[in-house]
Amino acid sequence: FVANRNIKTQNLFILVASYVFYGWWDWRFLSLIFFSTVVDYYVGMALGSNSNGTHRKLLLSASIITNLGLLGFFKYYNFFLQNFLSAFSILGKTISPNSLHIILPVGISFYTFQTLSYSIDVYRRKIEPTKDFFSFAAFVSFFPQLVAGPIERASNLLPQFGKVREFEYDKAVDGCMQILWGFFKKIVIADNCAVYANMIFNNSAEYSGSTLLLGALFFTFQIYGDFSGYSDIAIGTARLFGFSLMKNFAFPYFSRDMAEFWRRWHISLSTWFRDYLYIPLGGSRLGMGKAIRNTIIIFVVSGLWHGSNWTFVVWGLLNAFFVIPLVITQRNRKNLEIVAKGKIFPSIREASGMLVTFSLTVLAWIFFRAETVTQAVKIIGEIFSSSFFTIQDFNARRKALDLIVLVMLFVIVEWFGRDGEYAIERFYKKSKWIKWGQVLTISFLIFWFGFFGQELEFIYFQF
């Protein structure tokens, strides 16, 4: 490490590296992340030294309004403007203001929520405000998880900037293995699936129900391989620098109900909404009606967090309606342990639960991927029509079948490694021969099956 036992130098190095990393995309947006950092740093300092309840609420409001104001402007201005104009056109009124050509800053949804959690936790007196500006700035901009998470809590990540970090061989090896597995998920699984998912969704009117379902399945594994792959790379990279980031995915496609799915998918965001929105709204403590209301709210907000399109709102609502029956029957916290723990195969009940949950997830992903709600409805309608029984030929169908086999093998590896932090963790630790065998095998698969035809950025870079 740079300046092995000098914390300030280490943190300054991380800060400079993070700003160079972010500025490489567009240096102009460094001002935004710096502004958010300054605001929340001084809000935190003021909250720590102020005991007046009214003043503390005003300080917290300043942080929330500033951060959400920036996020709302860059992410939702044109969306709300267009819907406002559409509402007036229905009433026969025509208004023609110009939309702004706004570029969405990469990662703004992630670092905004990260800084907000700091201000809120300081306000709640769960953590003490930091007096070290460079540590706080490094926490906000930490480059491995800056642009696509995990969304870290100050209580977990910030204290790590106050400790001396030394190189540890075992942690470095573990980090490299997780990075390698993340690259496999992204380059081999996600990017190959993207080819067929894009082809089918972009020309959905031309395909039969069975082909459209195949496209939905390809996207289901594309988004999982893409996003969880990035999380693996981020967590592994952070470990190389001596940091421990929270787990963001816990094998969600092996969930037995939709509530379990949301405890295992994008964990950092799900727990953020739970702690900073669902529970403050009353959670499930104020009766069943309020619990249902709060569930709908967090899923709609989650949909909007993902993007300014009605498809995301419908996606959020669908997931809310999938979870609500579990809330009503108080079965939403039934499946807390990993499925078939200590067993090779799941029981019939577990297998059927996974099948139903996976099917509902695929259905919801159609709205997430479609360009419009209308397109998503047409795709679903076609899947449930008689054309589903039409086996349709399409470009490179043979390669698509080969990819299905590869995805199935990937699922098998994930199944047998489902009790680890990532799928191959338990295997490589058994012996050095298995470790190096895995490294060579996965590296070969990446270079042999990896999609290098064009640059495909991570899906969640747009959020």
Side-chain angles (χ1 to χ4, degrees):
F1 277 97
V2 176
N4 194 27
R5 290 191 174 276
N6 190 314
I7 297 175
K8 290 186 176 180
T9 307
Q10 286 186 352
N11 292 340
L12 184 60
F13 173 76
I14 291 291
L15 178 60
V16 172
S18 298
Y19 270 61
V20 170
F21 173 80
Y22 194 76
W24 206 267
W25 169 72
D26 193 325
W27 63 269
R28 295 172 297 176
F29 290 107
L30 287 172
S31 59
L32 282 179
I33 194 169
F34 180 73
F35 179 69
S36 292
T37 301
V38 170
V39 168
D40 286 298
Y41 172 76
Y42 283 105
V43 165
M45 291 286 287
L47 285 170
S49 60
N50 200 315
S51 58
N52 184 288
T54 301
H55 292 171
R56 288 173 58 81
K57 287 180 180 179
L58 288 173
L59 287 166
L60 179 62
S61 298
S63 172
I64 293 173
I65 291 170
T66 300
N67 284 290
L68 294 186
L70 288 172
L71 178 62
F73 175 76
F74 282 98
K75 196 165 186 175
Y76 305 108
Y77 175 82
N78 284 332
F79 172 70
F80 286 115
L81 176 64
Q82 290 164 7
N83 283 279
F84 178 77
L85 297 179
S86 297
F88 268 86
S89 65
I90 293 173
L91 299 174
K93 303 286 185 179
T94 302
I95 306 175
S96 302
N98 294 324
S99 296
L100 299 178
H101 297 288
I102 299 173
I103 300 173
L104 179 65
V106 169
I108 188 170
S109 297
F110 291 90
Y111 71 73
T112 296
F113 274 34
Q114 190 153 306
T115 57
L116 271 178
S117 70
Y118 169 78
S119 297
I120 296 171
D121 283 351
V122 172
Y123 172 79
R124 293 174 174 176
R125 301 191 188 279
K126 288 188 174 181
I127 59 173
E128 290 294 321
T130 179
K131 297 179 181 179
D132 187 338
F133 178 79
F134 291 112
S135 293
F136 182 72
F139 154 74
V140 174
S141 63
F142 189 43
F143 73 91
Q145 44 87 228
L146 172 61
V147 294
I151 303 170
E152 273 295 341
R153 306 295 180 83
S155 57
N156 175 48
L157 183 56
L158 190 54
Q160 297 182 54
F161 285 95
K163 299 177 181 178
V164 173
R165 298 178 295 278
E166 298 180 349
F167 180 80
E168 296 183 44
Y169 176 79
D170 289 340
K171 286 186 177 180
V173 171
D174 191 43
C176 287
M177 293 299 292
Q178 191 161 2
I179 291 170
L180 183 65
W181 186 240
F183 275 121
F184 174 83
K185 285 181 175 180
K186 167 61 177 171
I187 298 173
V188 177
I189 301 300
D191 287 355
N192 278 298
C193 285
V195 174
Y196 300 101
N198 292 340
M199 179 183 71
I200 293 171
F201 272 90
N202 292 343
N203 304 279
S204 58
E206 302 175 8
Y207 294 112
S208 65
S210 56
T211 305
L212 291 171
L213 177 59
L214 185 62
L217 289 169
F218 277 131
F219 179 71
T220 296
F221 285 100
Q222 176 198 351
I223 194 168
Y224 172 65
D226 191 285
F227 193 19
S228 70
Y230 182 90
S231 292
D232 284 335
I233 294 169
I235 293 168
T237 303
R239 196 172 292 127
L240 292 178
F241 285 86
F243 291 90
S244 177
L245 300 183
M246 71 180 298
K247 187 175 183 178
N248 210 20
F249 288 84
F251 310 97
Y253 289 158
F254 299 140
S255 301
R256 289 149 289 184
D257 59 57
M258 289 302 297
E260 182 185 11
F261 174 83
W262 281 106
R263 284 193 296 273
R264 296 179 176 276
W265 177 276
H266 200 175
I267 299 169
S268 63
L269 181 66
S270 299
T271 54
W272 199 101
F273 281 125
R274 179 197 66 198
D275 294 342
Y276 299 109
L277 186 59
Y278 182 75
I279 292 176
L281 285 171
S284 57
R285 303 187 308 273
L286 304 177
M288 188 56 64
K290 295 289 180 63
I292 293 172
R293 180 204 66 180
N294 296 339
T295 300
I296 293 174
I297 288 173
I298 63 168
F299 276 106
V300 169
V301 173
S302 177
L304 281 172
W305 180 92
H306 282 85
S308 54
N309 193 318
W310 285 108
T311 54
F312 296 117
V313 175
V314 174
W315 170 77
L317 280 170
L318 265 180
N319 278 283
F321 293 141
F322 294 155
V323 171
I324 284 172
L326 297 168
V327 174
I328 293 173
T329 58
Q330 297 183 343
R331 295 166 61 88
N332 54 312
R333 295 191 60 80
K334 178 184 177 182
N335 296 308
L336 300 177
E337 290 283 352
I338 61 172
V339 61
K341 186 174 182 179
K343 301 177 183 177
I344 296 178
F345 299 108
S347 66
I348 294 176
R349 169 178 271 185
E350 289 173 325
S352 59
M354 285 191 292
L355 179 61
V356 171
T357 303
F358 182 76
S359 300
L360 294 176
T361 304
V362 173
L363 179 68
W365 283 138
I366 293 174
F367 283 92
F368 193 97
R369 174 59 181 82
E371 296 295 325
T372 65
V373 174
T374 301
Q375 184 194 21
V377 171
K378 287 182 178 179
I379 289 173
I380 294 171
E382 199 65 31
I383 289 174
F384 286 97
S385 72
S386 59
S387 74
F388 178 82
F389 301 100
T390 301
I391 306 300
Q392 191 174 29
D393 195 12
F394 57 89
N395 292 335
R397 188 174 73 169
R398 176 57 188 273
K399 289 185 177 179
L401 294 175
D402 292 341
L403 178 57
I404 291 172
V405 174
L406 191 60
V407 169
M408 291 174 64
L409 293 173
F410 165 70
V411 171
I412 291 172
V413 173
E414 289 261 302
W415 173 260
F416 283 104
R418 68 192 184 281
D419 58 348
E421 289 295 309
Y422 55 98
I424 62 173
E425 180 191 32
R426 63 176 294 189
F427 303 119
Y428 93 82
K429 290 183 176 180
K430 290 186 176 180
S431 74
K432 66 177 183 179
W433 299 110
I434 293 178
K435 177 177 69 178
W436 288 111
Q438 281 188 164
V439 170
L440 292 174
T441 301
I442 295 172
S443 299
F444 170 78
L445 291 172
I446 290 173
F447 285 105
W448 188 260
F449 293 104
F451 181 78
F452 301 102
Q454 67 185 80
E455 184 180 349
L456 293 174
E457 69 176 22
F458 289 92
I459 292 175
Y460 270 67
F461 278 12
Q462 65 184 294
F463 304 139

